[in-house]
Structures are given as C-alpha cells and as structure tokens.
Amino acid sequence: MSAADLMAVLLANYLRYDFSSPDNPANDHLVFSKGHASPLLYGLYKMAGAIDDEELLTFRQFGSRLQGHPTPEIPWVDVATGSLGQGLPISVGMALAGKRLESAGFRVWVLCGDSELAEGSMWEAFEHAGHAELDNMIAIVDVNRLGQRGPTMHEWDTSSWATRARACGWDVQEIDGHDLLAIDDAYAQALEADGPAAIFARTKKGSGVSAVEDEDGWHGKPLPDPEAAVEELGGVRSLQVAVQPPPPAQPFEVKREPVERPSYEVGEKVATRGAYGDALAWIGSTDEKVVALDGEVSNSTYAERFAAKHPDRFFEMYIAEQQMVAAAVGMQTRGWKPFASSFGAFLSRAYDFIRMAAISDADLKLCGSHVGVSIGPDGPSQMALEDIASLRAVFDSVILYPSDANQAVQLLDAMRQHRGISYLRTTREATPVLYAAGETFEIGGSRTIRSSADDDVTLIGAGITLRECLAAADDLAGRGVTARVIDLYSVKPVDAEAILGAAGETKALITVEDHWAEGGIGETVAGVLAEAAAGTPLVRLAVSGRPGSGPPAALLAAAGIDAAHIVAAVEQALN
Amino acid sequence: MSAADLMAVLLANYLRYDFSSPDNPANDHLVFSKGHASPLLYGLYKMAGAIDDEELLTFRQFGSRLQGHPTPEIPWVDVATGSLGQGLPISVGMALAGKRLESAGFRVWVLCGDSELAEGSMWEAFEHAGHAELDNMIAIVDVNRLGQRGPTMHEWDTSSWATRARACGWDVQEIDGHDLLAIDDAYAQALEADGPAAIFARTKKGSGVSAVEDEDGWHGKPLPDPEAAVEELGGVRSLQVAVQPPPPAQPFEVKREPVERPSYEVGEKVATRGAYGDALAWIGSTDEKVVALDGEVSNSTYAERFAAKHPDRFFEMYIAEQQMVAAAVGMQTRGWKPFASSFGAFLSRAYDFIRMAAISDADLKLCGSHVGVSIGPDGPSQMALEDIASLRAVFDSVILYPSDANQAVQLLDAMRQHRGISYLRTTREATPVLYAAGETFEIGGSRTIRSSADDDVTLIGAGITLRECLAAADDLAGRGVTARVIDLYSVKPVDAEAILGAAGETKALITVEDHWAEGGIGETVAGVLAEAAAGTPLVRLAVSGRPGSGPPAALLAAAGIDAAHIVAAVEQALN
C-alpha cells in the first residue's frame, strides 16, 4: 500500500509493456526488488488486464503462480525476488545488456524498499550503475520508514541515501511518494537523466487505511477489517489501465572475432584455469550469446583471454561478487549466456544470489578458480574447500571439475549448451594433459582411465587429485596391487553406473578430493553406494585440518590427499 | 609499500599495544582488512621487536605462522583476512564491543584497500559504524589506484567515497598517504572525531622503488631486483620502534536480568524458533558473556525475547547479514559469545564470512529459522534448503537441528558451552513437544525414540520430519511393520554408532529431511554406512523439485517428505 501510488503512476503513464507478449525484447523491465510487495505487483497485473480477479484470489495458495514472492513462473516476472537487496543489482545486468550489448531502448524500473538499503549489495549496484552510466535504469525507493520489526536506521530522512546515490553518479530526487503529480514529474525527470536515476519517495506503510497507516507491527499481516479498509479506500472498484506498448524492437549486431578451438598436447603441462580462458574465448566466437564477467581477477581466472578477443562482451565487475552474479542473472533474462568467474572461494560471497538464481530458473554459468589446498602459499583464505558442497546444494545445478585442459575445453562447451546453473571448478597449478583434444566428455559422465579384469581397488579423483590417483596407481602396481582409476569430472550429475560397476568389481573404493569431506566427491559416491545397498568398503580422503601456506605438494601431503596417502589408504583397506 | 608510510606513523605515534601481552584487553586492535598487505604487517611486527629477521624470512613457507594472508595463528592478529571487504565490518564488531559492552578506551585501527571498497560489505560497515557512532574506530584507506588486474573505478579521485562515508556519519579526511606530517595530523584529527573516522590516503603502489612504483602488473609479485630496491629505499636498516603500551584496562559491569530456564509440557505445540528466543533469554541470564545479534527479523527468529530481557547485550544489525556475522566475529575476539540469527535462507548471504570465521578459529553461534518447505506460503525465497550442506562444509562446524522445544533449549545451552562455529536450525511451525524438560541431549548424540528387538526398518529424521517419521511409524504399525525412529538432532558431528546399530538390526534405513538431498542428513548417513561397508539399503527422502507457496502440509507432501511418502518408501524398500 505504501508503493501503490508510485506504481499506479508508473503503470498509467510510463511503463511500456505488452502484457500479451512478455517475450518482446522491447518491453521495459519492472523488477520488484522488494518482493514482499507481491500483492501490489499482482494488483498491477490485474489493472493491466493480464490476470483476473479469480486468479488474484489464489494468492499464496498451493499450485498458484501468484506465490508469496514473485518468481518467473509468472511470464511478466524476470527474476525471483524475496531475498532483499537482489532486485537492484540484477537490474544492473538487464540495463548493462540493454546499453552495452543491445543498444536497446527499453528501461529498467526497479521498486526498492528502504529496509533493503542496509544490504551492501544495493550499494554495489549504485556504484556499478553509476560507473557504467546506465541511463536506462530507474530505481524507485519506497521509503515507508518501517521494516519488519520496527523503524529503519534513517526512517523518513532520505538525505543520507540521496547523498550517497548522487556520489555514485546517479540523478537523485527526493519526493512525497503519495503526491501523484510529484511522482509524475519525478519519472519525467528521471527519463531525462544522463545516468541512472533514483527517486527516494517518502511514503506511509498501509497508506490510506487509518487502522494501520504508518503503524508498526503490521508487516506481512492481513488487515484487521478488510471491508472497512476497502470502504475507506473508496469502495470496490475495478480500474483498468491501457498500458503503453513498447516501440518496435531494434536489431543489433554482435562482433564475432574468430578464435580457434584450443587444443593441447598430451603430456604438456597446462592449468585448467588457463584452458578456461582459452575455451571461453573460443566459445565467444562460436556463440554470439556468450558474455563474460569477472570479479577483478581476470588475470588469475584467465577470463582476460576472452576480454582480449571480445571486449564488447566482457564485463569487469570489480571486487563485487554479489553484483557480478546478479548482473549475470540480469543478462540471462535477455537471452545472453553469461559466464561469471572469480576465485572459487570468493563465489561464496554470492551464495545467496546463486540460491535465488535457481528459483529464477536462471541460465547461469560460473567458474571458480584456485580451488583447494593445492593453490599453495597464498593460504586458506584463498582456497575454495566448500564450493562443491555448497553449489551441489543448489537446485538442479551441474558441477564439473575437469582433470585436464582438453577436458576443460569440452566441458566448457557443454556448459554453454546446457541451460541452467552450472559450475566449472578449475585448478591453479599446471597439470599434465591426459586426454587427446578430440576426446568427448559429457555432463553426467566419468572416464575410467585405467582398468583391467582383475582390478583390486578403485581410486576415484578429479582435478588435481586425479593426478595423485594416477601416481598412486603406479606406486601400487609396483607393490602388486592393480588399481582402477576413475576420473569423476562430473560431480553432479554423477555417473552412478561407473561407481556401482567399480563397487561390484573391486574390493574397495577410495575417493580423493581437494575439498572438505562434507558434501563433496566422497559423500556423492557414498550416496550412490548406500542407495544401491552396495556393501563395498569406501574410504574417503579429503582435506583434514585447517591448512596454511606452503608449496602445493607439501599442502596436499599435510591434507592427507597426495599419492602417498592414497597408497597407505589402499593398503589398509585391502588388509 | 603503498601503505608503509601510513603504518609507520601509526606504529610510532598512535598505536597503543603491548606486544608482550596480546591478551591485554586494553590493547588497541590493528586489522589489516587488505590481508594481502601481510608483508607490511609482518614488517611492523619486526619493527616492534615482536618477531626477528629469521622468522620474517619464513614468510609463506610451510609450517610458518607468517602465512600469505594473516590469521590468528599469530597472537597479534585477531581475525583472518584475505577475502576482501571483511576486515572493516569485523572491526565494527570490535568497536561495538568496546563502546556498548565494555566502555573501554581501546581503538580499532583498520587498514583498508581501495579495491575492496567495491564490496558492498564495506558499505554495510560504513553505514553501521556511522549509525552506532563508533568514535573508537579509524579506517585508513590505502588508495593506491591499482587493483590486481588494473585501475580501480575511481583511481585517485577519493571524492565519491569520501562523500559517501561522510553521508554515513563518518569524520572524513583525504590526504597524501606519503606525506608523513599529513598522516600524523590526520590521525590526531581522527582521534578527536565524534564518530568513526576515515582517512582516504592517496598512495603509490610500490612506493619508493622506481622499477615498480605506480606501475600496473606487479600485484602480488616479487620485485625484479630486490637489492636495487633496498638500495633505493636507503639501504639495509633495522629500525626499531618502541610502541606505546595501552593505559590500564578498566573494569566494566554487565547487567544480568534473571530469567528462568524455559520448559514446555510434553504434547504442547511449540515452535523451536520460539524455544530459541526463550532459551537465549535464559542463557543471557546465566552467562554474562552471551550477546545476541539479529538481522531485522527478531520478531520471526524470536531473538526479540533476548532483547526484551537484555537490551544492553542485543544488537539490531538491520538487513545486513554480512555485517551481522562480521560483527559477531569481531565481538568474539574480545571474549563475548555472540549468537547471530536470521532466516536460515538469509544466512547464505554471509557464507563467505562464515567460511572465513572458521579460518579465524572464531567462537560463533548462528541460528537460522524458517527452514525448509514447511514454512509454507511465503515461498521458496524464504526457505533454507541448502543450509545444512553449506554449513556442514565449514571447517570444524557443529550443526544442530532440534526436533522439539525442550531439546532446543538444551542444545542452545550446549552451543553456549561449545567453542567454535555452531549452527542451530529452527522450525517455523509449532510442533508437539516430545521430550520432558529434564532430558539431556549432547552435541554428537542422537535419540532413538522408538525401538524394539524386532524392528523391521529405521526412520531417521530431525526437526519437522521427525514428526512425519513418527506419524509414518504409527501408520506402519497398523500395517504390521515395526519401525525404529531415530531423532538425528546432531547432524554434525553425527552419531555413527546409532546409525550403524540400526543398519545392523533393521532391514533398511529411510532418511527424511526438509532440505535438498545434497549434503544433508541423507548423505551424512550414507557416508557413515559406506565407510563401515554396511550394505543395508538406504532410501533418502529429501525435497525434490522447486517448491512454491502453499500450506505446510501440502508442501511437505509435494516435496515427497511427509508421512505418506515415508510409508510408501518403507513398503517399497521392504519388498
């Protein structure tokens, strides 16, 4: 109710949207960053004639698309909101796409709450939108003074936020959010701005209904006397608004620099992070929808190799991983295929955004480099040791962990073709190329590198630990023990058939991972075994103890995941 | 090298620190938010006489406490840094403790980088410190213009940041960071400020060495000709600084309102989140070190019950989960026992901070409410479905998931006594009290609620699914199937003995969890079974499919984790 006047004026006079054709690329975007205002959003759809009263009354009911917070199950909703502080940074991605990739005329209107201005991610968005001069973006902040449990820090004093937004390069207005003419003037001025525009609108929660207006304690609660409220608001009405259609969409062109598919010689030492960079540049040339974003570490993730070839489609997001992932989510709403990279450890900064991206059914490709203790001297703050666990626990995600450079190239192209959330885990160190450039690897597959009819034991690794498994197998061969070696490069979905085959044919399985034991490769394998009631012993080697700095080999040994530890584990398991 | 002048003046003239007594509570705090400046920090220790040249040369070597990024393995380091944007918000917690809890005179000096100002968490800290008027906090920003891979957004133009910090209520200065007198004046002025003070110091990366000074491409790289550099810097010297000791520590008093230990009648319906609030208020009365923080949802997590009894020890952190967790980490460096709460889903916002807290060896207690699909109509954005997986994958963490209110009280008190990172997962819905108030529950335990010598099958649940398991057991009894029921309230560490006992004594195990399948209770149990080579079939029921809004019962059914699905799974497993 606090934002109803703001949205009514927007719908009547400014929004350009064809509700009968939500896929029209010229449509404006309307993002409710304050997703809990969903009743207002659904009310707008009703006013626009997109839904009827009957559907409106299914709000929050089982099976209804009108959920408690908006999701893209509704065709006019681009992204799920409801975790505060996400709608504005996601909108930055839409606006970046419009301005830098598509030269398009659409506008991105974002309704924000005042409480969510406490989220740092909102200020990442203010900073980035100002820096990128996104004049196609208008943030409307509903300053109703009251959060869920009481007053906000600044209540109706909008000056601090206004000063900050202005300092970020925004055109800023502070208005009375219930003054219809002031609202109309503000939107008109916002459209004239040279950069992004913010309107801080002082409003009253529960506006128009004296029983609750500007009163604390009513957040997310139904009105005490809804009939009296309707009466006070002017009685039952059924306003219809003819929303302006967008102008015709304009075609645009994407530059495509030719880049050869990278390939590496077997035995050559190449880091999979390097292969990521090479392969990203390549798929950028084969698929014009591919775009890349990086969190100010492109000389480490090697996303810079994409930037060098396709500068128009590369986005430097600086050290702001939430904004990076959010921008990627925004871009994919417009059909782009965003690849966002940082150190795997720092993607944890954006975990809530990745979680929400799954609810948005987003097509989001992530790459985390510098995983595990094998990064060496930089120490534990830089080591991703929980990325497999946390990203496996994202709905419908795909987790790929290449063991050599040629495989990384293949898997990256598989990610390009896969629609959904996928994650590529790359290694800092250069490791020997194992596979010929022509070999194929699929999402959900695995590769049994060594096997024979009389294998004693199975070693399962991926990435850096596959190298250790192979070294251990060599050592074991000298001790008369034959080891099968499986490259479990697709951690999710996992190749259960290969695991169960090994469980049936060998006496024990050893998993080895440069990751904590919880939620990683070992537990994935354990789940497969337990569900099949396979009683084959499983030994899970994973990082034990808090690592420090040191050379990679010393850290692998200290963590208990190097070849020597594998050999010892096999000997113990077979005795 | 860019910040060497800034830190030299600080050490010589302002820092009050007794290096021989790092536990002295009157010592100032010095936090390197830009943890990659560790060589400078270790150089300061050398200048202060705390370490010698020999140790300095162990930098980044295996086994050395002088890691690539600072960690509290070093007695003068409070918290690990190296994930940028964390040192400043953590320092807010130290300053809050000094000002609001201890009335202490120490100061918190924070060296920040300019690149990390792109992280929203830095602006959560600026906002919160300004709001709380933390005049014991001084942020020194080393504006060296260059990030890892190139220029920052603002380079040497500090005006935008300065304006924003000022708008947040900070005393702000912009200086030349190589002008020793200007630095000295700035610190003197900062100490006179009424609120937090920020000094934006324009500096040159590689200052003083012409081969690299203000040149791009040298981030994190050794100097090309170190001997020439030493020569240019004035030759080999061995400066020693007599650092001022702190004034004597002042005693302080903590108010302790008496609160009775909560207890509930068996059969009564109570939400475990309510028990959290009641129990938190109770342990606040038994242990004066207990403090509570909440992310603007204390009327949902019920942390408000603590606030009502112990307002001096309650901290409203607004909707800024990163700042909330960071402040808790800061407070525990001073011996406080912080309990930080929000919706479980929103703790994912602070995942990188929790990851780093483990590297800091922090004593951090977290509570996530509103977990799983059973929250009902608010929809998936509000449902924690990945919290067990992600928080299990935090080094040495404890994960507790109470199944009734009396157990929640016990477990919260166990968390209070446990030093380390622990997480309590609470349920929105009121569920029947199962256990008498006097029963004891331990971290690492489980409770077999129903069992007999001829159990056919074992049902394992926790929280809301334990209720479903009990209902299923009743139903199965009517069908002639006897089910053992295990309450696996301690998910990590887990009671392997109880699981293996059930595996040996019953024909199948069924785990049921209101969480994704990955990394949750089912995989935990699978890991136990697989490592023991127990071939008992395991069926893992977990949330399948993307949930929507609806009544809790409908959502549990749709997710496949209600009593009816358990019964069906048992019948299938036994056939």
Side-chain angles (χ1 to χ4, degrees), chain A residues 31-50:
Chain A
V31 177
F32 267 43
S33 192
K34 52 176 298 186
H36 56 282
S38 58
L40 173 60
L41 182 64
Y42 305 155
L44 295 179
Y45 296 156
K46 165 81 193 334
M47 267 174 75

Side-chain angles (χ1 to χ4, degrees), chain B residues 76-99:
Chain B
W76 316 290
V77 171
D78 295 301
V79 289
T81 52
S83 178
L84 288 169
Q86 300 209 6
L88 191 69
I90 290 171
S91 301
V92 168
M94 298 172 186
L96 279 170
K99 202 167 156 75

Side-chain angles (χ1 to χ4, degrees), chain A residues 391-480:
Chain A
L391 296 174
R392 277 182 70 232
V394 167
F395 179 67
D396 221 15
S397 63
V398 166
I399 311 292
L400 303 171
Y401 184 13
S403 302
D404 91 342
N406 282 326
Q407 190 184 53
V409 173
Q410 270 267 342
L411 294 177
L412 193 73
D413 199 41
M415 279 171 72
R416 179 185 66 76
Q417 295 170 62
H418 173 81
R419 207 205 154 284
I421 297 181
S422 53
Y423 172 59
L424 191 80
R425 185 178 211 242
T426 66
T427 298
R428 180 180 188 279
E429 258 198 294
T431 56
V433 173
L434 301 170
Y435 303 111
E439 292 195 46
T440 57
F441 301 94
E442 283 167 12
I443 292 174
S446 71
R447 179 61 51 98
T448 301
I449 305 192
R450 297 195 190 175
S451 73
S452 68
D454 57 350
D455 287 335
D456 298 303
V457 67
T458 302
L459 310 180
I460 301 175
I464 196 92
T465 63
L466 188 70
R467 185 190 67 182
E468 300 299 315
C469 287
L470 289 168
D474 288 342
D475 186 322
L476 288 165
R479 296 162 193 250

Side-chain angles (χ1 to χ4, degrees), chain A residues 60 119 321 378 392 523, chain B residues 119 321 378 392 523:
Chain A
R60 285 163 53 107
E119 288 284 10
E321 296 80 9
D378 275 343
R392 277 182 70 232
E523 276 193 5
Chain B
E119 288 284 9
E321 296 81 8
D378 276 342
R392 277 181 71 231
E523 275 193 5

